[in-house]
Amino acid sequence: MTAKLKIFILGGGTAGWMTANLLAKAWEKQGVSITLMEAPDVPTVGVGEGSTPYIRRFFERMNISESEWMPKCHATYKTGIRFTDWSTTPGFQHYFHPFTTELDNVTFNLFKHHVSLRRQGLNIHVHPDDYFLMTRLANNFQLPSSNDFVKQQTFYAYHFDAKLLGDYLKNKALEQGVSHVEGKVLGVEKHPNGDIAAVHDQSLQRFDADIFIDCSGFKSLLMQKALKVPFISYGDTLLNDAAVAIPTAAEKPYCPQTLSAAMPCGWRWKIPLTQRTGNGYVYSSSHLSAEDAEKQLRHSLGADSETNAAHHLKMKVGRNTKHWYRNCLAVGLSQGFIEPLEATGLQMTLVTIEQFITHFEKGKYTNEYQDNVNNGINAAFDHIRDYVSLHYLANSRNDTRYWQDCRNDIAISDSLKRVLEVWSQGGDLEQELNQQNISQYYPSLSWFAILTGMGIYPKTCTVDKKEIERFHKARANMASFFNNYITPSGKGNSAQQHGVVRYA
Ligand SMILES: Cc1cc2nc3c(=O)[nH]c(=O)nc-3n(C[C@H](O)[C@H](O)[C@H](O)COP(=O)(O)OP(=O)(O)OC[C@H]3O[C@@H](n4cnc5c(N)ncnc54)[C@H](O)[C@@H]3O)c2cc1C
């Protein structure tokens, strides 16, 4: 690349500012001119408080330490997600989906062995909550040690205030020389070959660029509207299309986990931040009105929520057929969205920018590798959708039509069908996930956690006394193994001051 690359980013939500930071950093040596425009009268979506461990790559790439950004964004650590009331099977009404540590490799093998015995029909209770250190730590309101070695061996993520993170990223981008313009894009001008030449704002000012990044949110003004790239809805698989959020007071000490509790027509999140607790109800508007959703959420939050305003949102769930097309890249909600059950929004944002940078450079700043990027991102979206949809498919609630529809009336991809067949026929789940190349999106531990955590087992029949004795012995050994790594003080240790609590 000889001339300085000119990039225009449309939208100043988390996606826009994250993109601005990463592109400015990636191409700071050769020089790049980046302008970001946002419309002051079009608010950002303003939610999105959970993340996956993948987000740590962003802060590592940007060389930003936890002690710098976390206090500014009221952030807390997240060691996994606790699911409650999705299953009515006795003994399986709740489970924890943990982010793992290296130490879990030891107990994961034991877990798989016990799961396999249980799948063969041995009458033993095998639940994921008993097997993973992160689960024990979270139950004890504790976090992994801040020791560098442990940190590298441990997957963990964060909760944060989305608005504050946006502000923080904006300041960082401005420090890196990104230009910020307030204005509203009303028109798009194209080159004869169909590429975008420029956008025009409300005062007919023209902004040209080599590359346009669409971060305009669900409107997808450049990719879907101007370039007419088709959008594939996931509405036949994921029924939820609305949400209502209401904050409550901060909990001290906080439990370092996201809570995902099933509700009559969806689920509610509870996310601990240092200065407040984020709550929201994600639901299907075909099964529940916005008014009733708010009532149900307030009811479950109790008096604590009475004086706090509710924020209602609509969700467009699905993905574009292409994310990088012509001279435009769509990032964030403008490229697609999987409902927030597994908090994968910012992960997809980050993956998209990383893939774009890598392949744009590899193609010597041309579109040569566009198809590779689009295929990879489409596969990631579809496989994450499958994993999220399994939570609904596996539910055993009968209290509302919503939960029955989630079980009986949704589309299942061929890939997920095959995974479920292998599971129900007693086959090798890990082998299937590897064969289908799915483990890169969700590792086998996650699939085991959801299937066993919701009690998806054959009805038991065999009683082999020796095998059952061996099972209890192994479980007792495991309990003492865990005790070596957990401080006895438990609750009340200062997890809330993102001073981390050590294993021992
Ligand atoms: C209910 C819900 C819960 C979520 N939870 C999570 C979560 O836990 N974890 C997670 O990772 N993600 C989550 N997400 C997704 C996350 O919120 C988004 O990925 C993230 O906020 C990025 O949004 P965005 O920047 O793409 O869009 P937005 O925040 O909508 O920003 C759009 C920007 O475009 C600008 N704009 C729009 N039109 C124009 C115009 N004509 N001219 C100029 N500018 C314009 C706006 O001013 C704004 O700055 C959640 C989303 C929802 C809806």
Side-chain angles (χ1 to χ4, degrees), residues 12 17 34-38 170 174 178-182:
W17 289 116
I34 303 177
T35 300
L36 182 148
M37 178 187 280
E38 64 179 322
K170 174 178 176 179
L174 298 182
V178 171
S179 307
H180 177 220
V181 184
E182 288 198 346

mmCIF file of all heavy atoms in Angstrom, residues 12 17 34-38 170 174 178-182:
data_model
loop_
_atom_site.group_PDB
_atom_site.id
_atom_site.type_symbol
_atom_site.label_atom_id
_atom_site.label_comp_id
_atom_site.label_asym_id
_atom_site.label_seq_id
_atom_site.Cartn_x
_atom_site.Cartn_y
_atom_site.Cartn_z
ATOM 1 N N GLY A 12 -21.273 5.216 16.053
ATOM 2 C CA GLY A 12 -20.412 5.370 17.227
ATOM 3 C C GLY A 12 -20.912 4.559 18.414
ATOM 4 O O GLY A 12 -20.844 5.009 19.560
ATOM 5 N N TRP A 17 -16.593 2.139 17.733
ATOM 6 C CA TRP A 17 -15.379 2.583 18.436
ATOM 7 C C TRP A 17 -14.359 1.458 18.569
ATOM 8 O O TRP A 17 -13.154 1.682 18.546
ATOM 9 C CB TRP A 17 -15.733 3.195 19.795
ATOM 10 C CG TRP A 17 -16.401 4.538 19.632
ATOM 11 C CD1 TRP A 17 -17.674 4.877 19.975
ATOM 12 C CD2 TRP A 17 -15.831 5.720 19.033
ATOM 13 N NE1 TRP A 17 -17.947 6.200 19.640
ATOM 14 C CE2 TRP A 17 -16.822 6.729 19.065
ATOM 15 C CE3 TRP A 17 -14.596 6.040 18.468
ATOM 16 C CZ2 TRP A 17 -16.604 8.022 18.569
ATOM 17 C CZ3 TRP A 17 -14.372 7.331 17.970
ATOM 18 C CH2 TRP A 17 -15.367 8.296 18.026
ATOM 19 N N ILE A 34 -8.731 7.786 9.594
ATOM 20 C CA ILE A 34 -10.023 7.198 9.993
ATOM 21 C C ILE A 34 -10.959 8.298 10.482
ATOM 22 O O ILE A 34 -10.600 9.095 11.358
ATOM 23 C CB ILE A 34 -9.841 6.160 11.125
ATOM 24 C CG1 ILE A 34 -8.865 5.054 10.689
ATOM 25 C CG2 ILE A 34 -11.188 5.552 11.530
ATOM 26 C CD1 ILE A 34 -8.556 4.016 11.762
ATOM 27 N N THR A 35 -12.156 8.331 9.894
ATOM 28 C CA THR A 35 -13.191 9.260 10.359
ATOM 29 C C THR A 35 -14.381 8.443 10.830
ATOM 30 O O THR A 35 -14.809 7.515 10.135
ATOM 31 C CB THR A 35 -13.650 10.187 9.209
ATOM 32 O OG1 THR A 35 -12.510 10.902 8.762
ATOM 33 C CG2 THR A 35 -14.723 11.152 9.654
ATOM 34 N N LEU A 36 -14.897 8.763 12.003
ATOM 35 C CA LEU A 36 -16.096 8.079 12.501
ATOM 36 C C LEU A 36 -17.216 9.093 12.647
ATOM 37 O O LEU A 36 -17.035 10.148 13.267
ATOM 38 C CB LEU A 36 -15.803 7.403 13.848
ATOM 39 C CG LEU A 36 -16.959 6.603 14.461
ATOM 40 C CD1 LEU A 36 -16.439 5.412 15.269
ATOM 41 C CD2 LEU A 36 -17.885 7.459 15.334
ATOM 42 N N MET A 37 -18.362 8.767 12.050
ATOM 43 C CA MET A 37 -19.518 9.657 12.175
ATOM 44 C C MET A 37 -20.620 8.987 12.968
ATOM 45 O O MET A 37 -20.903 7.809 12.777
ATOM 46 C CB MET A 37 -20.069 10.021 10.792
ATOM 47 C CG MET A 37 -21.305 10.913 10.890
ATOM 48 S SD MET A 37 -22.085 11.176 9.294
ATOM 49 C CE MET A 37 -21.031 12.424 8.625
ATOM 50 N N GLU A 38 -21.219 9.738 13.874
ATOM 51 C CA GLU A 38 -22.397 9.216 14.579
ATOM 52 C C GLU A 38 -23.459 10.308 14.630
ATOM 53 O O GLU A 38 -23.148 11.496 14.649
ATOM 54 C CB GLU A 38 -22.049 8.732 15.980
ATOM 55 C CG GLU A 38 -21.560 9.795 16.910
ATOM 56 C CD GLU A 38 -21.259 9.248 18.304
ATOM 57 O OE1 GLU A 38 -22.014 8.384 18.773
ATOM 58 O OE2 GLU A 38 -20.281 9.716 18.920
ATOM 59 N N LYS A 170 -14.132 5.425 22.878
ATOM 60 C CA LYS A 170 -14.115 6.663 22.076
ATOM 61 C C LYS A 170 -12.873 7.494 22.421
ATOM 62 O O LYS A 170 -12.127 7.921 21.538
ATOM 63 C CB LYS A 170 -15.394 7.461 22.377
ATOM 64 C CG LYS A 170 -15.452 8.818 21.736
ATOM 65 C CD LYS A 170 -16.766 9.488 22.059
ATOM 66 C CE LYS A 170 -16.801 10.897 21.514
ATOM 67 N NZ LYS A 170 -18.076 11.568 21.800
ATOM 68 N N LEU A 174 -9.795 8.542 19.926
ATOM 69 C CA LEU A 174 -9.421 9.941 19.652
ATOM 70 C C LEU A 174 -7.932 10.156 19.947
ATOM 71 O O LEU A 174 -7.234 10.831 19.194
ATOM 72 C CB LEU A 174 -10.290 10.908 20.469
ATOM 73 C CG LEU A 174 -11.800 10.855 20.168
ATOM 74 C CD1 LEU A 174 -12.573 11.873 20.991
ATOM 75 C CD2 LEU A 174 -12.079 11.066 18.669
ATOM 76 N N VAL A 178 -8.075 9.247 15.578
ATOM 77 C CA VAL A 178 -9.317 9.047 14.815
ATOM 78 C C VAL A 178 -10.128 10.345 14.861
ATOM 79 O O VAL A 178 -10.247 10.978 15.914
ATOM 80 C CB VAL A 178 -10.138 7.871 15.423
ATOM 81 C CG1 VAL A 178 -11.513 7.774 14.797
ATOM 82 C CG2 VAL A 178 -9.365 6.562 15.262
ATOM 83 N N SER A 179 -10.676 10.767 13.695
ATOM 84 C CA SER A 179 -11.504 11.987 13.667
ATOM 85 C C SER A 179 -12.949 11.632 13.953
ATOM 86 O O SER A 179 -13.461 10.639 13.423
ATOM 87 C CB SER A 179 -11.474 12.654 12.295
ATOM 88 O OG SER A 179 -10.162 12.861 11.909
ATOM 89 N N HIS A 180 -13.581 12.461 14.746
ATOM 90 C CA HIS A 180 -14.972 12.195 15.140
ATOM 91 C C HIS A 180 -15.875 13.288 14.580
ATOM 92 O O HIS A 180 -15.603 14.473 14.750
ATOM 93 C CB HIS A 180 -15.049 12.191 16.673
ATOM 94 C CG HIS A 180 -16.433 12.001 17.196
ATOM 95 N ND1 HIS A 180 -16.916 12.677 18.277
ATOM 96 C CD2 HIS A 180 -17.444 11.201 16.771
ATOM 97 C CE1 HIS A 180 -18.170 12.296 18.511
ATOM 98 N NE2 HIS A 180 -18.501 11.404 17.605
ATOM 99 N N VAL A 181 -16.941 12.887 13.890
ATOM 100 C CA VAL A 181 -17.859 13.865 13.302
ATOM 101 C C VAL A 181 -19.267 13.547 13.796
ATOM 102 O O VAL A 181 -19.669 12.383 13.795
ATOM 103 C CB VAL A 181 -17.879 13.755 11.757
ATOM 104 C CG1 VAL A 181 -18.753 14.834 11.140
ATOM 105 C CG2 VAL A 181 -16.486 13.788 11.189
ATOM 106 N N GLU A 182 -19.994 14.593 14.200
ATOM 107 C CA GLU A 182 -21.405 14.371 14.517
ATOM 108 C C GLU A 182 -22.213 14.736 13.287
ATOM 109 O O GLU A 182 -22.071 15.835 12.735
ATOM 110 C CB GLU A 182 -21.821 15.236 15.696
ATOM 111 C CG GLU A 182 -21.219 14.728 16.981
ATOM 112 C CD GLU A 182 -21.918 15.253 18.219
ATOM 113 O OE1 GLU A 182 -22.696 16.216 18.108
ATOM 114 O OE2 GLU A 182 -21.670 14.677 19.288
#
